[in-house]
Amino acid sequence: MELTGAQILLKCLEKEGVDVVFGFPGGAVIDIYDEIPNFSVEHILVRHEQGAIHAADGYARATGDTGVCLVTSGPGATNTVTGIATAYLDSIPVVIFTGQVPRPLIGNDAFQEVDIVGITRPCTKHNYLVQDVCDLARIVKQAFYIARSGRPGPVLVDLPKDVLNQKCRFDYPEKVSMRSYNPNVKPHVGQVRKVAGLIRKAERPLIYSGGGVVSSKSHEELRWLAQELRIPVTSTLMGLGAYPGDDEELWLGMLGMHGTYSANMAIHNCDLLLAAGARFDDRVTGKISEFAPHATIVHIDVDPTSIQKNVSVHVPLVADCKEALGALQKEMQALRDEMDWERKHEQWLAQIQEWRRMHPLTYLDDEEKIKPQYVVEKIDEITKGEAIICTEVGQNQMWAAQFCTVKEPNMFLTSGGLGTMGYGFPAALGAQRAFPDKLVIDIAGDGSIQMNIQEMMTAVCNKLPVKIVILNNGYLGMVRQWQELFYEKNYCATCMDAQPDFVKLAEAYGAAGFRVTRKQDVQSVLEEAFALDKPVIVDVRVEQEENVYPMVPAGASLTEMLLV
Amino acid sequence: MRHTLSVMVENEPGVLSRVAGLFSGRGFNIESLNVAPTLEKGVSLMTIVAEGDEAIIEQIVKQLRKLVPVITVKDLTEVQSVERETVLLKLNAEDSKRAEILRVTDIFRCKIVDVSCDELTVECTGDRGKIKAIVNLLGRFGIKEIARTGNVAMKRSMQMD
Ligand SMILES: Cc1ncc(C[n+]2csc(CCOP(=O)(O)OP(=O)(O)O)c2C)c(N)n1
């Protein structure tokens, strides 16, 4: 039997096991919307296409599956670009379907026409313009395969309106075969041996783990290596949760610009740095020439372009992290019995504890004023690390990363690579849709939350009880911090004290709103808010000019930290 | 250093801009780029000549390999290869100069592909050095128009060192 392009698309989504699509309709995709009620795929209507793509991304990060987003041509498509770039830089598998004008009009500046394939070429892993309905099923199959295999990333499929009306027999390919795309996932055996030898010899080894460990689901292997071989672990923002944040002995916290003193000192002093699924971002390395100066650097990454890009690596290992860490585990298992790992790194671990004692991650608390870090600590205490934490971007994000105890992967969702303000809330909606019974919290700044606040309506009408906690400092805090430290307090365009009444705003949408202005109320209000079965905004008025510390000034060496 | 990259790609829409985008995205200039179909159905060969330091070229090669429609990438700079370019030159050729022009083009084994009373169009094929020399030599007669194909290249069957 022949089906229309629109029906074929929805059938493909069913075959891929997609249960939810985040989207916003328009003329170019109306044929798909016309068919949605006839298929099992649920559609969640957002209020802005940026919300749709971030929600699909949040869904992907929380579940480890692929997120799906559907929007119309022209403005619908361009509204997703920030979200596509966000997913691209953090290697998140998302498939984006965009409507397009009918084929005969393409290239004619037709109404709502935009070359979205051209626009998104540099920020997608791959993209397609479907030219013939008979290619559609194959392309969708490939899109999902490309999005989730190798180094994951967003894939866009552009669908001309007339293709959606054309008919073709539906045949979903069993397998993907592409002569040009074969990601390499198996590690080179010789290289693995070499790394095992290096670990065996190392006196001061350190693991630097990144988002690749989360996305390849290799946290078990990571934990084994660290715990059995007694190697301390630090991680990037994206890697939080891969190693349990409550291990007080081996877990050092995040490294880099706002990393802990102990993590940054450990990087500087280690003799073996085992980087897994991390890409040596400049926010992590500080001054490149002084990064890990005494270490042999091993770099495991599925993407060869990440290797040797920023730092020169002694032993590259191109492979999926799970495969590589698994192979390494096997190698080390044999060596474990013949070596006394318990004592081997005793001195090194003692040194690390000493650094931690000297400069723990802390802040100057206040009797009266509400310190933002205090709020995050309370969130952490109340949720016991069992909530999915999303963040916006800025100081709120760094405090969340520093003071939340992330114990499991896929529990800390944040825009790391692109640093997209407005990411956290819609991402939280995606995560909440995936896990209706979990507590999902967006730790926000007063600036960021206003970038996608319209999704409050999506939250309310889809009964997605996300909790937003605004660390309201009346500033674009992170930029203000830079202005304070490096631009002689010229607070140009960062004061945001003209604000909506967030409590009333929440209520206007049909959500609940709380305001906290006294320190003694923080805990009780958070508890009350988290217990409610609906979306909530908690507007916490925090100390306005609090800074994030430690801080490595841009371009400085990791040892040159400004401390509290 | 100058690098010649031989890139085998799926012959599909957008592939050229994907490849070119990798260079422009890094603020990196392509000296010449040549694309045409190969014997294999649906596969085209691109020969790209670009100048850049080793680190950038290494990144470009890896990034090219990462593109979904790219099948293989070879950096011919590391091996012995045959490189050829074809150039068409339209020259001022009044009677007084004609003999001299023909002598030069003969030495370079060029072909005369078009003639009028005061112009000659010459076709010349050769490696970079030869093309440079002929353009130089014929330059003094006055080149009115020039069209070059850019390099095409292939690895030599026998690698001698
Ligand atoms: C879309 C976008 N625009 C601008 C920026 C630059 N930026 C980075 S942090 C920041 C301040 C964020 O302010 P706020 O959300 O109030 O959070 P705070 O730092 O105060 O916690 C800005 C403007 C950005 N990251 N994203």
Side-chain angles (χ1 to χ4, degrees), chain A residues 54-130:
Chain A
H54 288 327
D57 167 314
Y59 178 92
R61 292 190 207 220
T63 57
D65 284 340
T66 305
V68 182
C69 153
L70 168 63
V71 299
T72 191
S73 68
T78 52
N79 269 350
T80 64
V81 172
T82 303
I84 294 175
T86 303
Y88 184 66
L89 280 195
D90 287 342
S91 309
I92 306 303
V94 202
V95 178
I96 305 101
F97 295 99
T98 50
Q100 183 54 278
V101 301
R103 280 169 305 163
L105 297 184
I106 291 179
N108 289 354
D109 297 333
F111 177 64
Q112 293 197 329
E113 180 193 355
V114 80
D115 173 14
I116 196 65
V117 168
I119 289 174
T120 59
R121 208 166 270 143
C123 62
T124 47
K125 185 171 171 189
H126 194 50
N127 58 20
Y128 295 91
L129 170 64
V130 182

Side-chain angles (χ1 to χ4, degrees), chain A residues 424-446:
Chain A
F425 179 38
L429 298 179
Q432 186 80 76
R433 167 59 183 72
F435 296 103
D437 299 330
K438 276 205 172 137
L439 181 57
V440 181
I441 300 170
D442 178 35
I443 297 180
D446 47 301

Side-chain angles (χ1 to χ4, degrees), chain A residues 246-411:
Chain A
D246 56 354
D247 179 340
E248 300 204 343
E249 201 194 4
L250 297 174
W251 171 243
L252 300 183
M254 185 169 76
L255 81 162
M257 181 173 275
H258 293 297
T260 64
Y261 181 81
S262 52
N264 287 342
M265 292 305 284
I267 291 277
H268 193 78
N269 288 281
C270 65
D271 64 355
L272 175 69
L273 185 66
L274 198 63
R279 61 193 172 98
F280 298 87
D281 182 283
D282 53 290
R283 288 283 134 121
V284 152
T285 59
K287 191 175 186 179
I288 293 271
S289 59
E290 285 165 33
F291 180 77
H294 310 295
T296 302
I297 301 182
V298 174
H299 190 185
I300 304 171
D301 206 302
V302 70
D303 177 5
T305 59
S306 282
I307 290 173
Q308 306 291 18
K309 186 162 59 182
N310 300 330
V311 299
S312 75
V313 167
H314 305 94
V315 187
L317 201 56
V318 179
D320 178 77
C321 273
K322 191 167 179 72
E323 299 276 346
L325 294 177
L328 207 49
Q329 176 175 346
K330 281 217 187 74
E331 283 290 318
M332 297 314 293
Q333 241 146 3
L335 290 174
R336 184 180 53 163
D337 303 333
E338 65 186 64
M339 286 188 73
D340 183 5
W341 295 101
E342 202 59 45
R343 275 219 295 263
K344 188 160 187 323
H345 305 141
E346 209 169 63
Q347 262 189 338
W348 174 230
L349 291 174
Q351 168 70 76
I352 282 171
Q353 288 308 328
E354 175 60 21
W355 282 323
R356 207 201 292 263
R357 253 195 312 280
M358 276 163 65
H359 298 290
L361 191 57
T362 186
Y363 60 97
L364 300 174
D365 204 0
D366 194 285
E367 290 287 303
E368 296 290 316
K369 288 181 183 153
I370 309 177
K371 288 293 181 106
Q373 300 93 328
Y374 173 81
V375 181
V376 179
E377 273 184 346
K378 284 292 158 204
I379 294 174
D380 193 44
E381 242 177 76
I382 297 168
T383 59
K384 302 187 192 72
E386 277 158 24
I388 296 181
I389 303 290
C390 305
T391 83
E392 298 297 335
V393 166
Q395 294 181 314
N396 59 83
Q397 177 183 34
M398 290 301 119
W399 286 319
Q402 291 178 332
F403 293 95
C404 286
T405 317
V406 193
K407 293 189 206 156
E408 295 296 330
N410 309 102
M411 300 276 286

Side-chain angles (χ1 to χ4, degrees), chain A residues 43 98 154 361 375 388 420 487 516 527 543:
Chain A
H43 178 269
T98 50
L361 191 57
V375 181
I388 296 181
T420 308
Y487 294 86
V516 187
E527 277 170 358
E543 162 77 6

Side-chain angles (χ1 to χ4, degrees), chain A residues 88 117 121 124-128 131 146 151 178-181 303-309, chain B residues 10 12-15 17-18 40-43 58-59 62-63 65-71:
Chain A
Y88 184 66
V117 168
R121 208 166 270 143
T124 47
K125 185 171 171 189
H126 194 50
N127 58 20
Y128 295 91
Q131 306 261 26
I146 292 171
R151 177 181 183 163
M178 297 166 75
R179 108 184 100 185
S180 57
Y181 178 76
D303 177 5
T305 59
S306 282
I307 290 173
Q308 306 291 18
K309 186 162 59 182
Chain B
E10 295 286 351
E12 63 184 39
V15 62
S17 76
R18 266 179 230 285
E40 200 166 339
K41 193 164 166 272
V43 176
E58 187 185 330
Q59 262 300 308
K62 284 179 177 172
Q63 296 278 1
R65 291 201 172 118
K66 212 165 104 178
L67 290 179
V68 170
V70 168
I71 304 166

Side-chain angles (χ1 to χ4, degrees), chain A residues 471-522:
Chain A
L471 305 176
N472 189 341
N473 53 16
Y475 279 106
L476 298 172
M478 187 57 100
V479 184
R480 186 210 56 75
Q481 173 169 346
W482 283 51
Q483 289 173 328
E484 176 188 330
L485 298 175
F486 312 116
Y487 294 86
E488 292 158 356
K489 292 202 176 188
N490 180 13
Y491 292 168
C492 180
T494 45
C495 183
M496 272 257 186
D497 55 4
Q499 295 187 332
D501 180 331
F502 287 112
V503 173
K504 282 194 187 149
L505 187 63
E507 285 163 357
Y509 277 114
F514 297 88
R515 176 164 301 114
V516 187
T517 53
R518 298 185 314 171
K519 191 176 174 188
Q520 66 257 40
D521 299 334
V522 171

